[in-house]
Amino acid sequence: MNLADLNTIARAMVAPGKGILAADESSGTIKKRFDVIGVESTETSRRDYREMMFRSKEAMSQYISGVILYDETIWQNAADGTPLVKLIEQAGSIPGIKVDEGTQPLPNCPGELITVGLDKLAERLAKYYKQGARFAKWRAVIDIDSASGVPTHTAIMTNAHALARYAALCQQAQIVPIVEPEVLMDGAHDIDTCYNVTEWVLKETFQQLYFQRVALEGMILKPNMAIAGKKSAKKAGVEEVAEKTVKLLKSCVPSAVPGIAFLSGGQSDEEATAHLDAMNKIGGLTSGLPWGLTFSYGRALQAAPQKAWSGKADNIAAGQAAFTHRAKMNSLASKGEWTTALESKKAA
Ligand code: 13P
């Protein structure tokens, strides 16, 4: 492992004003997204959609530091035969790859999941590196259902262990691991419950990373924010989410980690931007947070372009404008420079 090179990539992923596009929806998930806009999900439509984003010059060169791809996409060519990976690189962005293989029920823990995909991961990572991937992603999923005792320590520990094994294998393959332990916001829990569970999950995750000798300087953390569940009667305001998330991360994430790139997790586009902005306004690059705080959004970057594109070649420019706008808003938020008023000034 060359840690200096891993650190250079990790820092580029969270460079000021830049963040990550999570375009790694599995074929099943992208079908659900396409169903919403009435587009049939085929290999070609998935390619066309992603090519549209990767050819958004302003967004890709100025706001998007890296793109997380799904296995199908990393091998695909654009309509003119250029590999999609090359389009990303030519724009000055870094290709990455989702390497987990989804979730399975965790034995003895009803309702809980374990992320799978460690078997043969070393071989897969070597192939992805050759194809241009310089970072990877593995997502663990932790649900909250206090009434039934979820999450259990078993689920948290087992998923943290898998995350750390994945991260060690990535670094050995000279690939920066994005470590993503996602505490879901699907439940009815309040923000403090989310805070407590996320604290537990992050403590366990960093313990496992230590046990498995992962170099923190060569990884990126992708956490959820401290936020109330979608079904909670008590929705927390933007300032509360920002303050609690910053406090939580300060107490759990060692300063050797170069950057933190949040998932959006089902927040609306503007909420995800407002929360990131508020955190950077509190923390600020100049006020001593030890790591960069940016975005690694899937839904919150893509809902608008998906709708604007709606599968029609005539709408490519509109889709790119919508994508560029969201990328720019989140870029500003990553510097604490976003305002609601900017939302109405759509990109040309
Ligand atoms: P969302 O931003 O839609 O949560 O997706 C990010 C991601 O990569 C989840 O693994």
Side-chain angles (χ1 to χ4, degrees):
M1 176 198 0
N2 179 333
L3 184 54
D5 285 356
L6 287 175
N7 180 252
T8 301
I9 298 280
R11 283 190 291 113
M13 288 163 70
V14 296
K18 291 198 176 189
I20 297 162
L21 165 64
D24 59 325
E25 299 86 357
S26 64
S27 302
T29 301
I30 198 76
K31 182 182 179 310
K32 281 190 221 151
R33 307 278 185 261
F34 279 13
D35 284 349
V36 173
I37 53 169
V39 173
E40 191 190 349
S41 180
T42 64
E43 210 178 315
T44 307
S45 66
R46 295 192 288 271
R47 190 275 313 275
D48 289 348
Y49 166 64
R50 285 160 173 154
E51 180 176 349
M52 171 195 81
M53 287 191 292
F54 305 160
R55 286 193 188 275
S56 302
K57 277 229 167 62
E58 180 186 338
M60 294 296 293
S61 61
Q62 294 185 41
Y63 315 130
I64 301 296
S65 57
V67 182
I68 317 175
L69 301 168
Y70 184 59
D71 178 73
E72 176 184 84
T73 321
I74 200 170
W75 308 106
Q76 273 179 326
N77 292 334
D80 69 0
T82 312
L84 292 181
V85 165
K86 284 279 165 294
L87 287 187
I88 295 167
E89 288 170 352
Q90 283 162 5
S93 192
I94 309 168
I97 180 77
K98 166 195 172 79
V99 300
D100 69 68
E101 295 179 324
T103 55
Q104 288 184 358
L106 181 62
N108 305 320
C109 297
E112 296 192 285
L113 299 169
I114 177 70
T115 301
V116 298
L118 287 170
D119 286 353
K120 310 256 170 59
L121 180 55
E123 288 93 321
R124 289 164 55 220
L125 287 168
K127 285 187 203 148
Y128 288 140
Y129 185 91
K130 258 203 199 133
Q131 186 66 8
R134 291 297 175 267
F135 68 91
K137 176 189 113 173
W138 179 287
R139 172 176 175 253
V141 189
I142 302 294
D143 204 0
I144 300 180
D145 180 5
S146 308
S148 52
V150 167
T152 60
H153 181 237
T154 313
I156 291 175
M157 187 191 56
T158 314
N159 274 291
H161 184 265
L163 273 168
R165 283 206 58 208
Y166 139 83
L169 285 163
C170 283
Q171 291 190 335
Q172 182 180 272
Q174 205 53 41
I175 287 179
V176 171
I178 293 182
V179 173
E180 181 180 9
E182 175 174 4
V183 177
L184 295 175
M185 60 180 287
D186 294 339
H189 53 272
D190 61 13
I191 186 170
D192 293 324
T193 306
C194 174
Y195 183 108
N196 291 334
V197 171
T198 306
E199 182 177 42
W200 187 12
V201 167
L202 290 176
K203 295 280 184 200
E204 195 76 54
T205 300
F206 280 98
Q207 183 78 335
Q208 288 294 333
L209 290 167
Y210 169 67
F211 287 155
Q212 295 182 51
R213 306 179 182 201
V214 173
L216 300 184
E217 297 83 353
M219 64 161 272
I220 296 292
L221 179 71
K222 176 162 174 166
N224 53 285
M225 298 176 192
I227 196 165
K230 273 188 241 162
K231 294 181 212 134
S232 170
K234 265 195 332 195
K235 194 171 181 299
V238 171
E239 292 310 315
E240 187 179 2
V241 169
E243 275 164 26
K244 289 188 171 166
T245 304
V246 167
K247 179 172 173 340
L248 170 66
L249 294 171
K250 275 185 167 175
S251 78
C252 295
V253 185
S255 56
V257 173
I260 296 173
F262 292 101
L263 57 94
S264 60
Q267 300 177 44
S268 74
D269 298 359
E270 222 172 299
E271 267 170 0
T273 305
H275 288 148
L276 179 63
D277 180 68
M279 281 183 236
N280 278 307
K281 281 196 166 94
I282 301 169
L285 290 173
T286 52
S287 76
L289 286 184
W291 3 252
L293 275 188
T294 191
F295 58 92
S296 175
Y297 294 160
R299 283 163 284 182
L301 272 175
Q302 294 186 67
Q306 273 162 12
K307 202 164 158 217
W309 170 68
S310 286
K312 300 197 175 66
D314 286 353
N315 293 338
I316 287 177
Q320 289 179 328
F323 173 54
T324 303
H325 177 71
R326 282 267 49 87
K328 185 175 184 179
M329 294 300 101
N330 285 304
S331 161
L332 290 167
S334 76
K335 297 184 283 186
E337 292 173 4
W338 174 84
T339 61
T340 318
L342 292 169
E343 285 294 338
S344 47
K345 293 188 200 155
K346 290 262 184 321

